[in-house]
Amino acid sequence: MARRPDLVGLTVLAMLSVRNSHPYELHRFIVDTHKDYVTGLPRSLYHAVEKLAGEDLIAPVETTREGRRPERTVYEITDEGRRELSTRLRTLLQDPGPERRTFTAAISLIGVLPVADALKALRGRAAALEGTLAGLNGHLKALEEEGLPEVLVIELDYQRTLSETELAWVRRLVERLEKGELTWTGTVNRELLAQVLDES
């Protein structure tokens, strides 16, 4: 059985690639920007931070205390963490998997990749979806020729419809990126993240 992607860890890496933060700030950002694919807060977030630090993908840079509040450790992403983030995110964008929540997470963090990398991954996803659809169409046609009643394979039609819809959406996104209708400079910048954190 394939290991599920660590979406909480991916989100932490993505946010730290933009701005050094402590776990409470990261928690606020996840809630304020409706990253609803992140579940089990706050425990899952603290667990992810601990795991990423243990793998040297992030590192503590300072510990602060305000008044009577508990100490807060600020983390930064390491060079290895940046490489890991880029690899994980490109893979999730490119390879269609069984869980749609995974693609939702990858799309929500797409701004941490350069536009060219995002485009390449999305084109790869479109090609993979085209292959999936060709396979489903062939399978359904063969079952129909065998005389199998449609009601017994209706789930395959459902899967086909979902794949067709996703492919159409990915193609539109690729077109918008190619035309410059949706763009970002380099990667999502510190000011954008600071704005969200400072207003909450």
Side-chain angles (χ1 to χ4, degrees), residues 84-155:
E84 182 68 16
L85 168 63
S86 181
T87 299
R88 285 188 197 180
L89 192 51
R90 285 194 322 261
T91 299
L92 293 181
L93 285 170
Q94 182 171 314
D95 300 336
E99 280 196 43
R100 301 210 178 268
R101 185 173 74 106
T102 301
F103 185 52
T104 300
I107 282 293
S108 80
L109 302 172
I110 197 171
V112 302
L113 289 177
V115 174
D117 288 0
L119 255 174
K120 183 177 179 182
L122 290 168
R123 287 180 183 130
R125 188 179 195 89
L129 287 167
E130 288 166 359
T132 297
L133 279 167
L136 278 168
N137 286 330
H139 190 46
L140 281 164
K141 184 176 180 184
L143 292 173
E144 182 183 334
E145 288 171 357
E146 287 176 15
L148 202 61
E150 184 183 358
V151 70
L152 296 179
V153 292
I154 195 74
E155 75 278 7

